[in-house]
Amino acid sequence: MTVLTEFRPGLWLTELDLGDFAVRGALIIGTEAAVVWDTLSQPRDMQPLRAHIGNRALRVVYSHADWDHVWGTAGLADPGAPVISHAACLDRFGADVPVTLAEKQAAEPGVWDDVLLMSPTQTFECELALDLGSITLELHHLPGHTPDCIVGFIPEWGILLAGDTVESPLPVVPADSPLDRWIAQLQRWAADTRVQTVIPAHGMIGGRELIVRNIAYLQALRDGRPMNVPDDLDDFYRETHAANLLWGREGSR
């Protein structure tokens, strides 16, 4: 069940335990419009947000097209709300997204029957600013975890919604990740003193030190150097770290 927490006036966090890991999205409320940042994994995950959205104009933003971030959109009260993402996210809705849903439906009959895939209706390539009234949500492309990953920055609040570009205790790195570009973009945000709070989709909330830790991990992985990893990793992150190391040994870029 979705846990809805007021992080600050105008910003509610949505958090869901999926067993192997937890995932976090957000509801951002301006004076004129609201944005749901990621719709989690099931339509029912979005029902607690409806009362807070009210009659405001609604937009949905996908941080990327992984299943735990985009499968709940049909649960929102406004089925005609614009769905915004990077262009590569729309491409994935014509490729791996429906394949993943079919695989999960076959593996767990009845569990995923309510999921109705809602493709992006508005895309961008580099940057896009959304005026919500009194606040702005800036969307920036930041590929690495996936080609379609983006971050959302709210300059009035100093908050960076990092999606899966930043993660703790460590990031999930695919074999074809553009590490140099991922690192360079994270370094830009780590140096941006406007950023006071970093809210990832997975793991702890903190400041720019979260970005710095991810940079250090990715640099060590890229360069084949030892990295500082907690001893008490759970099964998911222990397996993720092992997979990341295998990628590093193979020297893929």
Side-chain angles (χ1 to χ4, degrees), residues 7-239:
F7 186 77
R8 56 146 294 143
L11 179 61
W12 294 79
L13 301 183
T14 57
E15 298 181 278
L16 183 67
D17 187 348
L18 293 169
D20 290 338
F21 56 87
V23 64
R24 178 186 295 115
L27 171 62
I28 309 155
I29 300 175
T31 56
E32 297 182 7
V35 164
V36 174
W37 171 270
D38 284 349
T39 59
L40 308 184
S41 68
Q42 292 266 11
R44 63 174 178 265
D45 300 338
M46 291 291 96
Q47 292 186 10
L49 279 63
R50 291 182 176 182
H52 297 283
I53 295 170
N55 294 322
R56 294 178 182 85
L58 176 64
R59 299 168 185 170
V60 176
V61 173
Y62 292 160
S63 69
H64 62 303
D66 284 0
W67 66 272
D68 51 320
H69 298 261
V70 301
W71 284 6
T73 310
L76 293 168
D78 183 0
V83 179
I84 302 167
S85 76
H86 188 265
C89 180
L90 177 59
D91 293 340
R92 291 184 60 192
F93 270 81
D96 64 282
V97 174
V99 171
T100 300
L101 177 57
E103 290 173 348
K104 281 191 170 290
Q105 288 175 332
E108 301 176 272
V111 174
W112 304 99
D113 290 353
D114 292 339
V115 174
L116 176 64
L117 297 180
M118 307 288 286
S119 301
T121 60
Q122 178 181 350
T123 64
F124 68 98
E125 290 289 348
C126 297
E127 299 179 3
L128 178 67
L130 305 179
D131 183 358
L132 307 184
S134 72
I135 55 170
T136 305
L137 176 61
E138 299 177 358
L139 307 179
H140 299 264
H141 188 210
L142 205 164
H145 170 72
T146 61
D148 57 325
C149 272
I150 65 172
V151 297
F153 182 52
I154 306 172
E156 294 85 355
W157 297 344
I159 290 177
L160 183 71
L161 299 170
D164 279 11
T165 69
V166 172
E167 191 164 347
S168 61
L170 52 91
V172 178
V173 184
D176 57 352
S177 177
L179 274 188
D180 289 338
R181 186 175 181 187
W182 189 354
I183 292 167
Q185 290 295 320
L186 288 182
Q187 288 172 329
R188 169 195 168 197
W189 288 108
D192 192 334
T193 57
R194 297 177 303 161
V195 177
Q196 299 299 308
T197 305
V198 178
I199 304 178
H202 308 283
M204 70 177 69
I205 297 170
R208 294 196 304 277
E209 75 280 354
L210 296 181
I211 306 176
V212 173
R213 291 174 196 165
N214 276 251
I215 292 171
Y217 183 94
L218 294 171
Q219 288 176 328
L221 181 64
R222 179 194 61 190
D223 300 338
R225 294 184 282 103
M227 53 193 67
N228 185 19
V229 176
D231 295 329
D232 58 347
L233 292 177
D234 61 24
D235 289 345
F236 176 83
Y237 283 104
R238 186 168 56 252
E239 293 171 4

